[in-house]
Amino acid sequence: MAYRRTPAVQARLDAQRVIVLAAAVDLLAERGYAGCSMAAVADRAGIATGSMYRYFSGKAELSVELFRTVVLREVAAVEAAVAKADAEDAGPHGRVAAVVRTFAARALRAPRLAYALLAEPADQVVDAERLVFREAFRDLIAAQIAPAVADGRLPDQDARLTAAALVGAIGEALVGPLAAGEAQDDLIPALVAFTQRALGGQNADA
């Protein structure tokens, strides 16, 4: 008969997995993917390297879970910023600006972590997750554009195409400063201004 974990054992494993992931996030922010080996994460989490395989089959699975953990946190922060802008009746320009401003500001506060999410060479499985990451932000921006196009507040445009172009442009503009670990003070205002020009129409929210 196959061994079945008791609820208490499973709860302990789940709690330890959370600790391991938190250690991995810390390492990712400090050293990038290159510094997130199974051994390094185990050492940071205070467990034996062999114990890592209770939670992850290998570095590829760890990297995917690590990426998703960080991305979910970033998406939640941006969604909260959009909700705040919506509550303040900011309009489509203001809501999309909130996405860009929040994403860029958080990236620049943690440049090593943001660079790992956006551009650091990594396993193929991480590259696949990056596509999902970009699509999540594209869809969030498109959701602000489409209704405004429908009711005439923004010029006629393909909301998903505009959103995808913005995600690509903002990411590309951030990669250099993130790699260097520094950015000009006017970078975020410039990105917001670029975004609002790309949306078109009169910006009553500025």
Side-chain angles (χ1 to χ4, degrees), residues 85-167:
D86 189 40
E88 295 170 351
D89 199 22
H93 287 90
R95 292 195 299 274
V96 176
V99 174
V100 173
R101 189 179 295 111
T102 302
F103 176 76
R106 289 176 63 85
L108 293 171
R109 283 199 298 269
R112 191 67 188 84
L113 179 62
Y115 183 75
L117 291 180
L118 289 172
E120 181 184 356
D123 295 337
Q124 232 178 354
V125 291
V126 173
D127 288 336
E129 290 299 315
R130 284 185 176 134
L131 291 176
V132 178
F133 174 44
R134 288 196 289 269
E135 287 169 0
F137 279 95
R138 177 204 65 195
D139 292 347
L140 182 58
I141 293 173
Q144 315 313 313
I145 297 172
V149 171
D151 64 19
R153 286 178 294 162
L154 288 178
D156 186 38
Q157 59 193 285
D158 183 325
R160 282 165 60 90
L161 178 60
T162 299
L166 285 172
V167 169

Side-chain angles (χ1 to χ4, degrees), residues 10-136:
Q10 188 61 54
R12 284 197 298 273
L13 288 172
D14 291 344
Q16 185 62 54
R17 193 174 192 274
V18 170
I19 293 170
V20 169
L21 274 173
V25 170
D26 287 345
L27 278 176
L28 185 65
E30 293 172 13
R31 308 177 190 174
Y33 280 109
C36 288
S37 66
M38 296 286 275
V41 173
D43 183 63
R44 178 62 61 92
I47 63 175
T49 301
S51 297
M52 288 287 293
Y53 295 91
R54 296 178 183 174
Y55 314 108
F56 305 100
S57 60
K59 186 177 178 182
E61 185 181 352
L62 171 64
S63 296
V64 167
E65 189 66 22
L66 174 57
F67 191 95
R68 290 174 180 172
T69 298
V70 177
V71 165
L72 285 174
R73 185 174 69 188
E74 297 306 307
V75 170
V78 171
E79 287 176 338
V82 171
K84 183 175 183 292
D86 189 40
E88 295 170 351
D89 199 22
H93 287 90
R95 292 195 299 274
V96 176
V99 174
V100 173
R101 189 179 295 111
T102 302
F103 176 76
R106 289 176 63 85
L108 293 171
R109 283 199 298 269
R112 191 67 188 84
L113 179 62
Y115 183 75
L117 291 180
L118 289 172
E120 181 184 356
D123 295 337
Q124 232 178 354
V125 291
V126 173
D127 288 336
E129 290 299 315
R130 284 185 176 134
L131 291 176
V132 178
F133 174 44
R134 288 196 289 269
E135 287 169 0

